[in-house]
Amino acid sequence: MEQRALSSGISGAEIVSDDGSREVYLPALHSGELEDFFENAAVALHLVANDGTILRANRAELDLLGYTGEEYVGRNIRGFHADPAAIDDILDRLSRHEHLQNYRARLRAKDGSIRWVEITSNVRSVGGRFLNTRCVTIDVTERVRAEELLREQDQRLALTYHNAGVGIVEADAEGRLLRVNGHLCNLLGYTQEELVGRSIFNQTFPPDVDADRAQYKQQVAGKIESYTIEKRFVRKDGSLFWAIVTSSSVRDSSGQFRYAVRVQHDISERKEIEAILGQRAEEQAAVHEFTEMLQHAHTREDVYEPALNAIQRALGCQRASILLLEGGIMKFVAWRGLSKAYREAVEGHSPWSAADHDPQPICLRDVDHAELPHTLRQAIRAEGIGAVCFIPITQGGRLLGKFMAYFDGPHYYSTGQIEVARTIARQLGFGIERVRAQNAAQHLAAIVESSHDAIASKDLNGIVSTWNRGAERLFGYSAAEIVGMPITTIIPEDRLNEEPLILGRIRNGEIVDHFETVRRRKDGTLVDISLTISPVRDASGRVVGASKIARDITDKKVAEEKIRDSERHLQDLLAAIPAAIYTTDQAGKITYFNEAAVQFAGRTPVIGSDEWCVTWKLYWPDGTPLPHDQCPMAISLREGRPVRGYEAVAERPDGTRIPFIPYPTPMRNAAGKVIGGINMLVDVSERKQAETQQRILLDELNHRVKNNMMMLKSLLSMAARNSQSSEARIVLDEASKRVATMAAAQRVLYDTPDARNFGAQPFLGAVCETAKQMFPAGVHLVCEADLIQLPNDIAMPLALIINELLINAVKYGSQGKAHATIRVSMRRDGQGNILEVEDEGPGFDLSSVRPTSSGLRLVEGLVRQIGGSFDVRRDPCRCILSFSQTAEEVAFATKSINA
């Protein structure tokens, strides 16, 4: 085996041959230069035997790992490798004579650190026998670290790219998506697989495509390097979102376009905020413009149009209307886009009542799902309204009306919108009330200026502030002459003390009402006036002056004097009347009485204390007590009518009693209101005495007439019995019955205390009872009468009429029956009376029976005498007499018949 000594501290290496023999092999160096090259090469070099023993290593190799030659050469290379698998692979491959090129491995340095190296190695063999490996080791630790850092950065970049909070895509020149990150997938709702390969314009909202495409073409063509655009994207679920897209070009070294990186930020929230801010700005502008226009409104119409503009502009509604409360009913006063049929259908409807304090808005987001009355829902649907809100118009919490905003489809009302609507409603209420107040103020100013009364104002120092034309006419001073002058200019010297007193009361907030005084005109003449002075307050309620209304009462003073003269004259007149006369107020208190009333009452009444009557005590004519509050005067005042036809008895304090007739009559003012009463008490003592004497005479006369009638009836009855003629007997019998009937009527007349009238009930009872005595036993007579008072003049004719009709009913109505019923009734009918006699017969024709019936002819003659009418009805038979109840009408009818 060839051996060669080595210098420079390089020792030989033992080589184990295939047969197991050992020999030392010393590499031969051909020259010093080659040795120098190996030893001082800039790269690490080493030779390794086939068993891994390090045969040689140059200085660069030793410096690389920090070992000395003794520590490194002769040791197995495996001890310096950090990865056993790597060195085993190296040696294995070299043993197969493979050539290694830049094989990356890790070596362990002396200080314990790990050095990354790239090993380039091949095998030197002799005769096919593995001698050693020749290895070049290049330190790539820094490069590996750089690569690792780069890999980490790439990983971080990939993670950042995928998980970035913005959407990132890469698109080719055609706009096809090459790569997308996770955030964009989340934004669009698609997976990466669904998006890659699509166009960047596929998910763009169609109206925004053209603008983006035009700029992208310019970018691909190199005309622009990048651009930014705001556009809308369509998600997989169909919803939209806004994004700001920044598209930047990536080009190769030659400047050719490779792809575009497009970064997309979701700006939906910003857009929403911008929209809200824009809406708020629009709302504020609308409210501001409305408020500005209200300052120039002079009529309500000047308020309505700007209000409708503000409602539509601020709320974004398609239609609007304004309704105001008029007579408690909501009525349209202004509208836009509403049909007449709709307005008529919903007018008057209101979700609040006029009594509601501080009503709140009501918003219906979807009319189809709102709880509404059926008719109202139909009207709204027919109008094509999808949503509506009711906004109350108030002033000081009082409901003035409402405005309504209509949307064609369902609508969500934000809190901001509702607050803006309430602001518009408040401004609208303010505008309406301001116009009303302004018109009222103008109207009031016109009234003040045109008033006939003098109206002026002054400050708390008594200096005149305003002066109307009425004041100019009354006092003679023009406004230019008196304004700024003290009010004492028109006050006479003897009345100057009134002004401090008036100003003192005004400062206390009091009103001086109807203060009658005297003032001096410009020409020096004095005028009687009535003053009403009220405090004038500023906005804080502080009294700052006074308003004064002065009325010329000269005519009133003259009229009052005339009235006083008239009252004195009337009192003199009443005092001269011999009858007792007194007056009361509306409550019945005595306000006046004449001397005759004192004499009549036997006492002096107490004015303002005595009530209803001047008498001590009162009684009815029958002696029962009559309370003062039930006397005719009290009735007259309570019912507001004159009371007549009453009699009463007054008792004096000394116990004597006086019968009298009162004539109470209410007194009224110009408006017709009862303000009191006047009563005259007529002493009827002498008349009562005369009536007593008259009653005695009448009773005697009645007794004699009754006896004569009874004697006449007896004579007629006797003549009828003794007569041989049947016709004479009939005539005499009928005459006897008529006399009996007249006697019965006579008894009623003379038994009635009233000398002029008689009652229908006792009268009809007496006549029927007398007639019944002469009828067959089987005849049942039913008599009924209302409470009617009839004049005495008709008593005898009426009794004879009843008698004739009863005789006729018995004769023809029973029709041979053993039992029959006859009904007689007298009732009031309006202003007249009805006498009716009904039997069970079929009746008869009056015109055909009249010629043959003397009794019916007698009846018709008597009916004409009392001014009545006669008729006959049939089935059943009813004879009907209609007549008046007044004695005057009877007298007139009697005179007509006699004429």
Side-chain angles (χ1 to χ4, degrees):
M1 178 173 293
E2 177 182 9
Q3 295 184 354
R4 181 171 296 175
L6 298 176
S7 61
S8 302
I10 299 176
S11 61
E14 183 181 26
I15 300 174
V16 181
S17 62
D18 293 338
D19 58 3
S21 61
R22 296 179 181 271
E23 60 180 352
V24 176
Y25 171 72
L26 296 175
L29 297 175
H30 300 289
S31 66
E33 294 176 356
L34 184 60
E35 179 68 20
D36 182 68
F37 171 78
F38 178 86
E39 184 65 23
N40 297 305
V43 295
L45 302 173
H46 69 270
L47 303 177
V48 178
N50 62 354
D51 63 350
T53 300
I54 302 171
L55 302 176
R56 292 192 65 179
N58 70 349
R59 178 56 53 190
E61 177 95 0
L62 296 174
D63 291 343
L64 172 65
L65 297 176
Y67 294 101
T68 64
E70 291 77 11
E71 293 172 330
Y72 190 68
V73 176
R75 296 180 182 276
N76 196 290
I77 193 66
R78 289 184 177 88
F80 297 99
H81 272 270
D83 300 317
I87 188 57
D88 288 343
D89 181 55
I90 291 170
L91 293 176
D92 182 63
R93 292 172 65 178
L94 289 174
S95 67
R96 297 194 299 270
H97 297 278
E98 293 182 16
H99 179 73
L100 298 181
Q101 181 69 34
N102 296 331
Y103 190 100
R104 186 162 292 184
R106 294 191 302 159
L107 299 179
R108 186 177 294 107
K110 183 179 180 180
D111 61 5
S113 63
I114 302 298
R115 307 297 295 180
W116 278 94
V117 296
E118 286 184 354
I119 300 172
T120 301
S121 180
N122 56 15
V123 175
R124 180 173 178 265
S125 62
V126 176
R129 187 164 61 92
F130 187 109
L131 293 181
N132 64 281
T133 65
R134 293 168 291 196
C135 300
V136 177
T137 305
I138 298 175
D139 186 0
V140 294
T141 301
E142 296 303 321
R143 188 171 70 183
V144 168
R145 289 176 180 173
E147 288 175 352
E148 288 179 352
L149 180 60
L150 184 60
R151 279 195 301 274
E152 290 177 2
Q153 289 175 345
D154 287 344
Q155 289 175 354
R156 285 197 298 271
L157 181 61
L159 289 173
T160 303
Y161 179 89
H162 185 73
N163 298 309
V166 295
I168 304 174
V169 304
E170 296 173 6
D172 62 12
E174 301 300 324
R176 288 186 297 268
L177 294 170
L178 304 175
R179 185 180 178 191
V180 298
N181 74 339
H183 188 76
L184 183 67
C185 293
N186 293 334
L187 284 177
L188 293 173
Y190 291 95
T191 63
Q192 289 181 334
E193 291 75 13
E194 290 174 319
L195 290 175
V196 171
R198 289 189 179 189
S199 171
I200 59 176
F201 307 113
N202 282 1
Q203 305 311 127
T204 302
F205 188 53
D208 299 343
V209 169
D210 291 343
D212 193 10
R213 192 190 301 276
Q215 294 198 72
Y216 193 72
K217 286 181 179 180
Q218 289 185 322
Q219 182 180 0
V220 171
K223 295 181 180 180
I224 57 175
E225 191 64 25
S226 64
Y227 67 92
T228 300
I229 189 172
E230 292 182 2
K231 67 175 187 175
R232 288 161 289 183
F233 285 87
V234 182
R235 293 189 179 95
K236 189 174 183 178
D237 61 8
S239 61
L240 298 178
F241 71 92
W242 275 94
I244 182 169
V245 179
T246 300
S247 181
S248 302
S249 300
V250 176
R251 301 183 182 276
D252 59 17
S253 58
S254 63
Q256 294 297 314
F257 181 87
R258 292 185 60 195
Y259 59 88
V261 176
R262 296 168 64 88
V263 179
Q264 293 150 105
H265 294 268
D266 183 0
I267 59 171
S268 298
E269 184 176 354
R270 193 199 81 191
K271 282 290 186 181
E272 183 177 349
I273 293 173
E274 288 177 353
I276 293 173
L277 292 176
Q279 177 65 25
R280 291 292 177 270
E282 184 70 7
E283 291 169 355
Q284 294 302 319
V287 173
H288 177 75
E289 180 179 343
F290 178 39
T291 305
E292 180 67 23
M293 296 192 72
L294 284 181
Q295 306 305 315
H296 308 287
H298 299 291
T299 66
R300 287 194 173 187
E301 287 68 24
D302 294 340
V303 174
Y304 299 151
E305 282 303 308
L308 292 175
N309 289 337
I311 293 168
Q312 290 190 274
R313 182 179 175 186
L315 302 184
C317 57
Q318 287 74 47
R319 290 171 279 183
S321 66
I322 301 171
L323 298 90
L324 296 181
L325 272 175
E326 296 179 4
I329 299 174
M330 285 285 186
K331 294 184 178 180
F332 283 92
V333 295
W335 60 88
R336 283 185 184 166
L338 300 176
S339 67
K340 181 179 180 182
Y342 170 80
R343 298 197 310 274
E344 290 176 348
V346 304
E347 189 165 71
H349 173 268
S350 174
W352 319 282
S353 70
D356 288 345
H357 182 76
D358 195 21
Q360 298 299 309
I362 295 175
C363 299
L364 305 180
R365 298 181 181 178
D366 190 344
V367 170
D368 289 338
H369 297 90
E371 295 184 2
L372 294 170
H374 179 68
T375 55
L376 182 61
R377 182 191 299 275
Q378 282 186 323
I380 293 176
R381 281 179 171 174
E383 195 70 5
I385 297 170
V388 62
C389 62
F390 304 74
I391 307 298
I393 302 171
T394 60
Q395 186 68 13
R398 178 173 56 90
L399 183 65
L400 300 180
K402 65 179 178 180
F403 80 71
M404 302 181 69
Y406 308 91
F407 300 85
D408 294 342
H411 181 77
Y412 173 79
Y413 306 90
S414 67
T415 303
Q417 271 190 318
I418 294 174
E419 189 56 38
V420 168
R422 297 184 68 172
T423 300
I424 294 175
R426 285 192 291 268
Q427 292 293 337
L428 182 53
F430 167 76
I432 291 172
E433 287 297 282
R434 190 185 69 81
V435 169
R436 184 198 63 77
Q438 178 178 293
N439 292 339
Q442 292 174 348
H443 183 64
L444 180 61
I447 292 174
V448 169
E449 189 61 23
S450 61
S451 174
H452 185 73
D453 291 335
I455 302 177
S457 64
K458 60 184 178 181
D459 62 19
L460 293 180
N461 295 318
I463 303 302
V464 178
S465 303
T466 62
W467 190 263
N468 77 335
R469 293 180 182 176
E472 292 180 348
R473 287 190 297 268
L474 179 60
F475 298 109
Y477 291 96
S478 67
E481 292 174 311
I482 198 69
V483 171
M485 299 291 290
I487 195 67
T488 53
T489 303
I490 62 171
I491 301 178
E493 288 77 4
D494 60 343
R495 301 224 177 217
L496 288 174
N497 62 327
E498 294 176 355
E499 183 63 9
L501 297 176
I502 291 173
L503 287 175
R505 294 181 61 181
I506 292 299
R507 288 190 180 94
N508 293 331
E510 299 179 33
I511 295 177
V512 179
D513 196 12
H514 299 298
F515 173 62
E516 294 188 1
T517 185
V518 177
R519 292 293 180 261
R520 177 182 287 110
R521 294 189 178 99
K522 183 179 180 180
D523 61 8
T525 59
L526 299 179
V527 57
D528 291 306
I529 62 171
S530 173
L531 286 177
T532 298
I533 309 172
S534 304
V536 175
R537 302 177 185 272
D538 61 14
S540 64
R542 185 170 56 91
V543 177
V544 295
S547 66
K548 178 183 296 187
I549 301 175
R551 176 167 295 178
D552 184 353
I553 58 172
T554 302
D555 293 340
K556 175 188 171 186
K557 288 290 187 180
V558 173
E560 287 177 349
E561 186 60 31
K562 290 181 178 179
I563 290 172
R564 284 193 291 271
D565 290 343
S566 177
E567 288 177 348
R568 284 193 297 269
H569 179 70
L570 178 61
Q571 289 180 2
D572 293 343
L573 180 62
L574 294 176
I577 295 175
I581 296 176
Y582 67 92
T583 61
T584 70
D585 60 17
Q586 66 269 29
K589 299 289 187 180
I590 304 298
T591 57
Y592 167 81
F593 55 87
N594 65 358
E595 185 59 30
V598 177
Q599 298 299 323
F600 176 87
R603 61 186 288 272
T604 300
V606 180
I607 291 178
S609 177
D610 285 3
E611 290 183 313
W612 313 118
C613 192
V614 295
T615 56
W616 178 256
K617 293 181 181 180
L618 288 173
Y619 298 89
W620 289 111
D622 62 1
T624 58
L626 172 57
H628 276 60
D629 60 357
Q630 297 178 22
C631 72
M633 186 61 166
I635 295 172
S636 177
L637 289 175
R638 280 196 297 269
E639 300 182 3
R641 64 179 179 86
V643 175
R644 300 291 185 266
Y646 282 85
E647 287 189 16
V649 176
E651 182 179 298
R652 292 174 173 149
D654 61 7
T656 59
R657 295 188 177 187
I658 304 173
F660 68 94
I661 297 176
Y663 293 89
T665 302
M667 295 187 297
R668 302 178 184 273
N669 60 13
K673 180 182 177 182
V674 174
I675 58 173
I678 184 169
N679 198 2
M680 181 172 66
L681 310 180
V682 178
D683 185 349
V684 293
S685 301
E686 295 180 359
R687 196 197 74 181
K688 284 294 183 180
Q689 293 174 0
E691 286 178 353
T692 301
Q693 295 297 324
Q694 185 180 26
R695 173 55 61 184
I696 294 173
L697 293 175
L698 286 174
D699 289 344
E700 179 64 23
L701 179 60
N702 177 40
H703 178 71
R704 294 185 181 184
V705 169
K706 182 172 65 174
N707 288 341
N708 291 337
M709 283 191 174
M710 294 305 296
M711 183 180 294
L712 178 59
K713 180 179 180 300
S714 299
L715 291 174
L716 291 173
S717 298
M718 183 184 297
R721 289 194 300 270
N722 295 331
S723 175
Q724 300 298 319
S725 171
S726 59
E727 293 181 358
R729 284 198 298 274
I730 293 173
V731 171
L732 292 171
D733 186 53
E734 290 179 352
S736 175
K737 293 177 180 178
R738 289 169 181 159
V739 170
T741 299
M742 295 174 66
Q746 183 71 19
R747 287 198 305 275
V748 173
L749 291 178
Y750 286 97
D751 287 341
T752 302
D754 191 341
R756 294 170 296 175
N757 301 309
F758 64 91
Q761 285 184 343
F763 173 80
L764 186 60
V767 173
C768 289
E769 185 63 29
T770 300
K772 184 178 180 181
Q773 295 174 5
M774 296 177 284
F775 292 161
V779 175
H780 179 56
L781 197 57
V782 179
C783 298
E784 296 177 345
D786 291 346
L787 294 173
I788 305 171
Q789 291 294 314
L790 301 172
N792 289 346
D793 293 346
I794 69 170
M796 292 305 172
L798 191 59
L800 291 174
I801 291 170
I802 296 171
N803 181 71
E804 293 300 323
L805 295 179
L806 289 175
I807 292 173
N808 185 71
V810 172
K811 185 184 295 186
Y812 301 106
S814 60
Q815 298 180 329
K817 297 178 182 179
H819 297 282
T821 300
I822 300 173
R823 289 180 172 80
V824 184
S825 64
M826 189 179 299
R827 65 181 185 276
R828 181 178 288 113
D829 181 26
Q831 296 299 319
N833 304 302
I834 300 293
L835 171 67
E836 188 174 296
V837 178
E838 178 183 328
D839 58 48
E840 298 174 347
F844 56 91
D845 182 58
L846 183 60
S847 59
S848 61
V849 174
R850 184 183 292 114
T852 60
S853 175
S854 60
L856 287 176
R857 290 198 300 274
L858 174 61
V859 167
E860 289 185 319
L862 293 171
V863 168
R864 287 193 297 272
Q865 181 178 341
I866 66 174
S869 62
F870 182 68
D871 189 21
V872 177
R873 309 282 173 83
R874 308 186 69 171
D875 297 322
C877 178
R878 286 184 297 158
C879 297
I880 302 172
L881 166 63
S882 301
F883 64 97
S884 172
Q885 72 176 46
T886 62
E888 290 79 1
E889 292 180 350
V890 173
F892 179 77
T894 304
K895 290 179 182 179
S896 300
I897 293 172
N898 295 334

